[in-house]
Amino acid sequence: MMDSPGYDVIHELDPDRVADVRQMRQYDTVFVDCPGSLEGRDILSQIVKASTFVLIPYDHEPESVLPTLRTARRVAELGIPHAVVVTKANPQVGADHVLDAWKTLKDQGIPHFQSFVRLYRAWPNSLKAGVPITRWSERHSPKIREVIAAVHTELLLNIGRVAGAHR
């Protein structure tokens, strides 16, 4: 159980200050959640340039394919290690949706995680209630914590590979 998840949340809207967040409290790791649409704005470049690793969420719906591919290509152009994680995978429809998403990414030469995020009502319910998902308690909470742990583990492995390559 994650009663104390071990992280702070800082709400900062100025992308120029993203690099400052790490120095504020000497954080080892800073996760930045960006708006889903960054078209025509310099925010993505500013945040990516301050990043060690970029994780791009992807729900594999028709309206999300091209923006996700453009974002992944832009991050690659900036030379920052990255990967895509499939989100909103419906557990009721089986694995086909996730497998198709992975094929789409592979065909485009875009790295992706093997873990993925399932679609559960708990995600929006916890957000609406103002309770971090790691502290949320409802029927699917244990499964959600497993999903978070899998993505977190894969993220840490990728960050470790990046750090090892820079030694």
Side-chain angles (χ1 to χ4, degrees), residues 86-92 98 115-121 123 143-144 146-147 150-151:
V86 175
T87 63
K88 298 182 182 177
N90 187 339
Q92 296 174 341
V98 173
S115 53
F116 57 92
V117 179
R118 289 175 176 85
L119 176 66
Y120 290 112
R121 287 298 312 156
W123 298 105
K143 290 180 184 177
I144 289 169
E146 287 176 22
V147 167
V151 172

Side-chain angles (χ1 to χ4, degrees), residues 102-122:
W102 288 345
K103 181 181 181 323
T104 299
L105 296 166
K106 181 180 178 188
D107 290 349
Q108 295 294 318
I110 296 172
H112 64 82
F113 277 16
Q114 292 299 306
S115 53
F116 57 92
V117 179
R118 289 175 176 85
L119 176 66
Y120 290 112
R121 287 298 312 156

